[in-house]
């Protein structure tokens, strides 16, 4: 493991130190703990010199939110964070050098967030931004216990981005990639609703960045494909991935990963490409994050204290499926159906259940409830099938 880290992230001097350490271990005289500390310090210094770091900034405004914001009980951000086989040094934004700073502008983000009304910007945030990380989701998964609640990790690029069911997420420059960590106290049956709330927060923020609609109105710019995809003009530009871990006393750790093609024309197309075609102002990643974060906490709180019902009208205003005719493949995951079937079934979408299942009716008006996890929906063919199966 250590050899892989050294070969991947460091220079020849550290390789020689590693070789010396291994030789002493083989001789049975490795009794000097300072060598291990030197190895860690040298690795961190080498990565910092290369600009492979996370830069941290804390942003506070208003009262603390009910989901748990910055307070005296929250830990300070460690000087290094684990990420896969390596460790990323963490530097304060005020002391980081120019070549270590990501293109994501933390000070611009802070300005956008603080310029909102107090009803929008609740509590405080710890934001970690890097030029390149393996995966923002992975940084939070591996370090959540050592980080303050309401922490966000943003990356200019990712090398191992992931989506649902372990699918790879291509993460070039210009793509908006972040993961959000917070605690939510709610019944376990409500957890599937968090991905809907997260998706709604993203599409609402995209719409808000376009500015007020003209008096005659306009069609939605962004839309939602069940269960967690973000579409613009009929093409997928993003998605969300929500992962929860029970932490006791009715509270869950939530890590919500979000990816949106904001300003990268490849591998498909992006939000700003469409805005240019419409003759409208392009948007920045910093603006999108600033509008999205307060919405996330507000939506999560509504679900925790009430249900998804207060959000349904807005959600249905963006989603693509009201009254849609679908074919459900026999292997699709359906509540109450343990036997499965070889046949396709024709259904019409009617909405979402209280606990997040896709509701549909067949020709006999029998209601079918489709699991949000484990199923995929092909928008072009109108087919619902078990994830990673087809035809």
């Amino acid at each position: 493991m250590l050899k892989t880290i050294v070969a991947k992230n460091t220079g020849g001097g550290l390789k020689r130190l590693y070789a010396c350490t291994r030789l002493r271990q083989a001789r049975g005289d490795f009794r000097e703990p300072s060598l291990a500390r030197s190895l860690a310090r040298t690795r961190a210094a080498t990565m910092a010199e290369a600009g492979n770091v996370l830069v941290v900034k804390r942003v506070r405004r208003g009262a603390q939110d009910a989901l748990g914001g910055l307070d005296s009980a929250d830990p300070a951000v460690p000087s290094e964070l684990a990420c896969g086989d390596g460790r990323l040094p963490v530097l304060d934004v005020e002391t980081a050098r120019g070549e270590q700073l990501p293109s994501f502008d933390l000070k611009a983000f802070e300005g956008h967030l603080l310029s909102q009304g107090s009803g929008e910007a609740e509590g405080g945030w710890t934001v970690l931004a890097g030029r390149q990380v393996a995966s923002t989701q992975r940084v939070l998964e591996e370090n959540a216990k050592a980080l303050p609640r309401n922490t966000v990790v943003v990356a200019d690029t990712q090398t191992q981005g992931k989506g649902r069911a372990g699918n790879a997420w291509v993460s070039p420059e210009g793509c908006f990639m972040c993961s959000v960590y917070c605690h939510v106290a709610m019944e376990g049956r409500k957890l599937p609703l968090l991905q809907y709330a997260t998706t709604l927060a993203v599409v609402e923020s995209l719409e808000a960045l376009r500015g007020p609609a003209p008096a005659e109105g306009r069609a939605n710019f962004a839309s939602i494909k069940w269960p967690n995809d973000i579409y613009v003009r009929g093409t997928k530009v993003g998605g969300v991935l929500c992962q929860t871990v029970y932490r006791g006393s009715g509270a869950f750790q939530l890590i919500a990963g979000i990816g949106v093609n904001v300003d990268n024309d490849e591998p498909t197309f992006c939000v700003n490409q469409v805005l240019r075609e419409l003759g409208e102002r392009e948007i920045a990643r910093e603006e999108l994050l600033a509008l999205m974060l307060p919405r996330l906490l507000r939506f999560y709180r509504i679900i925790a204290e009430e249900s998804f019902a207060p959000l349904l009208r807005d959600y249905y205003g963006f989603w693509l499926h009201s009254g849609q005719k679908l074919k459900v493949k026999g292997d699709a995951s359906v509540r109450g159906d343990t036997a499965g079937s070889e046949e396709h079934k024709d259904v019409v979408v009617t909405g979402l259940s209280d606990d997040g299942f896709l509701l549909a009716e067949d020709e006999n008006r029998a209601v079918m409830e489709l699991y949000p996890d484990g199923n995929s929906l092909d928008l072009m063919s109108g087919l619902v099938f078990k994830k990673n199966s087809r035809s």
Side-chain angles (χ1 to χ4, degrees):
M1 186 73 72
L2 186 58
K3 187 172 183 179
T4 302
I5 296 171
V6 170
K8 194 170 184 180
N9 294 327
T10 64
L14 188 53
K15 289 180 181 177
R16 287 191 292 273
L17 175 58
Y18 169 77
C20 175
T21 303
R22 295 297 298 168
L23 178 61
R24 294 192 67 183
Q25 285 179 320
R27 291 174 177 169
D29 58 354
F30 183 62
R31 304 185 182 91
E32 184 56 67
S34 63
L35 280 177
R37 289 195 295 269
S38 296
L39 180 64
R41 285 196 300 269
T42 306
R43 178 177 63 239
T46 305
M47 293 176 72
E49 288 173 6
N52 193 12
V53 303
L54 288 173
V55 178
V56 63
K57 185 170 186 63
R58 287 202 173 197
V59 182
R60 299 171 183 261
R61 183 190 174 106
Q64 300 306 309
D65 62 275
L67 291 174
L70 300 175
D71 59 41
S72 57
D74 279 327
V77 178
S79 60
E80 282 188 357
L81 294 175
C83 186
D85 291 340
R87 298 190 69 81
L88 289 168
V90 178
L91 305 177
D92 188 272
V93 67
E94 302 298 337
T95 59
R97 300 192 304 272
E99 68 272 13
Q100 296 169 328
L101 293 172
S103 63
F104 185 90
D105 190 330
L106 285 167
K107 293 183 179 179
F109 158 74
E110 179 181 36
H112 290 306
L113 184 65
L114 298 184
S115 68
Q116 301 179 61
S118 59
E120 287 285 320
E122 302 160 331
W125 293 93
T126 299
V127 186
L128 294 156
R131 291 169 57 187
Q132 178 176 289
V133 300
S135 160
T136 59
Q137 199 81 349
R138 193 168 183 176
V139 171
L140 290 177
E141 288 173 3
E142 297 182 12
N143 300 280
K145 290 183 178 180
L147 291 170
R149 292 163 294 172
N150 293 4
T151 290
V152 187
V153 179
V154 186
D156 291 341
T157 62
Q158 293 182 130
T159 59
Q160 299 171 29
K162 63 180 181 179
R164 290 178 74 213
N167 291 335
W169 178 264
V170 180
S171 310
E173 282 197 48
C175 184
F176 170 66
M177 298 158 291
C178 79
S179 294
V180 181
Y181 159 59
C182 61
H183 283 190
V184 291
M186 64 176 60
E187 301 168 72
R189 67 178 181 83
K190 293 182 176 181
L191 295 178
L193 299 168
L194 295 173
Q195 63 183 325
Y196 302 142
T198 305
T199 310
L200 178 61
V202 177
V203 296
E204 271 199 4
S205 299
L206 287 171
E207 288 292 336
L209 286 171
R210 297 182 67 194
E216 64 274 16
R218 66 185 177 201
N220 285 341
F221 174 71
S223 52
I224 298 169
K225 172 184 164 293
W226 182 82
N228 65 341
D229 289 337
I230 299 156
Y231 272 57
V232 167
R233 281 192 156 185
T235 300
K236 180 176 176 178
V237 296
V240 307
L241 172 67
C242 291
Q243 297 173 307
T244 55
V245 177
Y246 185 63
R247 291 302 185 196
S249 302
F252 292 84
Q253 167 193 299
L254 167 65
I255 300 175
I258 300 159
V260 181
N261 293 337
V262 169
D263 200 31
N264 53 297
D265 293 346
E266 299 294 337
T268 54
F269 82 151
C270 65
V271 172
N272 280 342
Q273 180 181 344
V274 178
L275 290 174
R276 287 192 293 269
E277 293 172 359
L278 294 173
E280 298 184 17
R281 182 184 73 88
E282 297 179 27
I283 67 172
R285 295 175 296 158
E286 295 83 358
E287 294 177 294
L288 180 57
L289 183 62
L291 264 67
M292 189 183 71
L293 291 180
R295 283 176 167 82
L296 286 178
L297 291 191
R298 190 167 71 253
F299 294 169
Y300 295 162
R301 183 181 302 109
I302 289 171
I303 293 172
E305 296 177 354
E306 302 178 52
S307 66
F308 194 66
L311 302 173
L312 264 178
R313 180 176 178 180
D314 291 336
Y315 184 85
Y316 286 153
F318 289 107
W319 89 325
L320 297 168
H321 309 295
S322 294
Q324 184 182 10
K325 295 180 179 180
L326 300 174
K327 287 185 179 293
V328 178
K329 192 181 174 188
D331 68 353
S333 298
V334 179
R335 174 180 271 178
D337 181 6
T338 58
S341 169
E342 294 297 322
E343 300 179 357
H344 290 20
K345 182 170 287 189
D346 293 322
V347 299
V348 176
V349 175
T350 58
L352 292 175
S353 71
D354 291 342
D355 43 5
F357 287 69
L358 182 69
L359 297 176
E361 289 184 353
D362 65 16
E363 57 186 6
N364 298 316
R365 305 298 296 271
V367 177
M368 178 180 292
E369 297 185 54
L370 294 153
Y371 285 92
D373 296 320
N375 285 319
S376 287
L377 192 163
D378 186 298
L379 201 59
M380 296 298 292
S381 65
L383 180 68
V384 179
F385 53 95
K386 186 177 181 180
K387 190 72 177 174
N388 297 327
S389 77
R390 201 52 204 276
S391 72

